[in-house]
Amino acid sequence: MSIGPRVAVGGFALESVSFLPQQTGVEDFEREARRGGDLIDALSGTASVAGGFLAALEAGGAQAVPLVHTDCSAAGPASDAAFERFRDELLQRLADDGALDGVLLFLHGAMTTPARPDPEGDLLTALRAQVGPDLPVMVAFDLHANLSPRSAALCDALFGFHFSPHVDMAETGMRAARCLLAKLEGRVDPQLALVKVPLVLPSIFTATALAPLSDLVARSLALPEEVPGIIDASIFCGFAYADTPDIGFSVAVVANGDKALAQREAERLASEIWRNRAALLHDDMVHNLSDGIAVASRQARRADRPVVVLEHADRLNNSTWCLRRLLNEAPALAVHCPYFWDPAAVEAASAAGVGARVSLVLGHNTEERAGGPLAVEAEILWVGEKRFAGTGPMRRGRQVDLGPAALLRIGRHTVSVVSVCTSAIDLDALEQFGIDFAELDVLLLRSKTHFRAVFEPLAASIVIVDTPDWGTADLSILPYRHVPAGIYPLGREAPAPHPDRRGAPMHPSA
């Protein structure tokens, strides 16, 4: 009986907000780590890149050789110790697994560490030095990757999510795995071209349903059908909050045996992106704090469905800007704030117990830039451990672990407080705490684009509120150190500061 090719499968992913003081450490990556057979058991059938790798390898008769997989989503920069620990483990497992026919990896593409602006490039350099130049290595990256030419040079091919919200993660893993198997079978000779575009967008403007980005993505999707010889094309929007020389848009095109063709089509698509650079910014979508809360409150009072307030600049799910304003200015509205990250508040609520009415502080770990701590009078509705299997389009089948958690009632407002920093992007965030979306007036979210997959069709409206937090839409106020000159729109003249949006005093005394 013949045995199919042996293909190593692994992942090491983090979208780093370089400016956050909290580093993502070994224990954070360890919480999400899956190894060996556990990797296959935990990720098979899930809406993840690794789930796609495994499904395509099984369908193609290949043997998946599991390495280590960990994905901390979006957080502060990885510590150098965490990067070195998981890089070394991945390489050691590769060395221990014997003869391999190929490697499939999921890397985000926007990881940074204090000492490394391009850790994925460092990892791929070490991997290629270990496995040699001939072993096929194919990598799936997030749409928000800040791709480096060095990383591209170390891959046989690379593939990116086409959509944000990232509803095609598993499909992206399948694209990479199918290309690898086709190469091993001699059916294709993938040739990769990467072209950088000196443009970066705030994350909220990278929702791929927004024109003209939607049109550009459609063109990339059509390339393999319209241009003979093209295998795959990906547009990467970059990640504005990772301070790296490689920040911004990239286009990756994979052609069959013809690198010049891949280069030509990548340059053509990159030129089209650059021509649309001004139209890709949607400043008119964003409200300052005062106007946004006023607009949302007014709409909620007359709408027959909930209004979503999107506090997109909050990168740690612990900002108090919008929550404070809603408590003070819209106390009669039914507002829910899911997944507020504050382990100390959870501990205090647990000590008080269900049914207690207590004085609490929300935001023990919240910087002044994110609104600072907020004192509240709350009733404890529920406390306990919260772990469940995700059901949403991006977390389907994945285990979600929020750690110890609590549900608080503050007047007509409710807040779920969690011990593990996680963004609320689907109905699980409400239903797991007994909250009915349809009964709300306002839902306060801290997502960027991923919430749209579920909540955009359900909400009466979406009101995007900007604050001075580290994910602000005004990139000019961020303290970049590594970003080169000439990246649009960083070099354009900044508008006059708005007192509610650009870092002037916003923190009310109450």
Side-chain angles (χ1 to χ4, degrees), residues 279-353:
L280 286 163
L281 292 170
H282 299 276
D283 292 333
D284 58 325
M285 288 172 51
V286 181
H287 298 269
N288 65 56
L289 179 62
S290 293
D291 291 348
I293 296 303
V295 167
S297 300
R298 187 165 58 248
Q299 291 181 356
R301 291 187 182 100
R302 62 172 183 252
D304 59 357
R305 290 180 292 158
V307 170
V308 168
V309 172
L310 185 71
E311 190 174 356
H312 76 98
D314 179 7
R315 283 285 164 179
L316 283 177
N317 300 294
N318 69 348
S319 170
T320 56
W321 289 124
C322 285
L323 181 57
R324 178 183 281 107
R325 288 294 185 99
L326 286 165
L327 286 169
N328 290 340
E329 299 174 21
L333 295 178
V335 177
H336 181 61
C337 172
Y339 290 1
F340 189 95
W341 176 54
D342 188 344
V346 174
E347 186 175 352
S350 299

Side-chain angles (χ1 to χ4, degrees), residues 206-278:
T206 63
T208 51
L210 295 175
L213 184 56
S214 57
D215 301 323
L216 295 163
V217 169
R219 287 177 176 80
S220 73
L221 287 166
L223 267 182
E225 298 178 0
E226 296 178 353
V227 181
I230 298 297
I231 297 172
D232 197 87
S234 304
I235 291 175
F236 299 88
C237 295
F239 184 61
Y241 311 104
D243 186 12
T244 168
D246 300 301
I247 197 169
F249 269 71
S250 307
V251 177
V253 175
V254 182
N256 187 10
D258 191 342
K259 191 171 182 67
L261 172 63
Q263 186 72 28
R264 184 169 65 249
E265 293 302 326
E267 289 177 356
R268 183 177 301 169
L269 191 50
S271 295
E272 193 167 355
I273 292 169
W274 180 247
R275 285 195 299 272
N276 281 277
R277 61 191 179 279

Side-chain angles (χ1 to χ4, degrees), residues 286-288 466-468 472-474 477 498-503 506:
V286 181
H287 298 269
N288 65 56
D466 201 19
T467 68
T472 175
D474 184 0
I477 69 175
H498 188 290
D500 253 343
R501 178 175 169 186
R502 306 305 179 197
M506 294 174 59

Side-chain angles (χ1 to χ4, degrees), residues 444-494:
L444 174 57
L445 296 178
R446 291 95 189 290
S447 177
K448 287 70 192 171
T449 67
H450 299 334
F451 76 99
R452 291 181 181 272
V454 171
F455 291 108
E456 190 165 28
L458 299 177
S461 63
I462 297 166
V463 179
I464 301 175
V465 178
D466 201 19
T467 68
D469 211 342
W470 291 116
T472 175
D474 184 0
L475 304 183
S476 70
I477 69 175
L478 297 176
Y480 292 109
R481 294 187 300 117
H482 301 295
V483 172
I487 302 294
Y488 183 86
L490 297 180
R492 70 176 183 176
E493 184 176 352

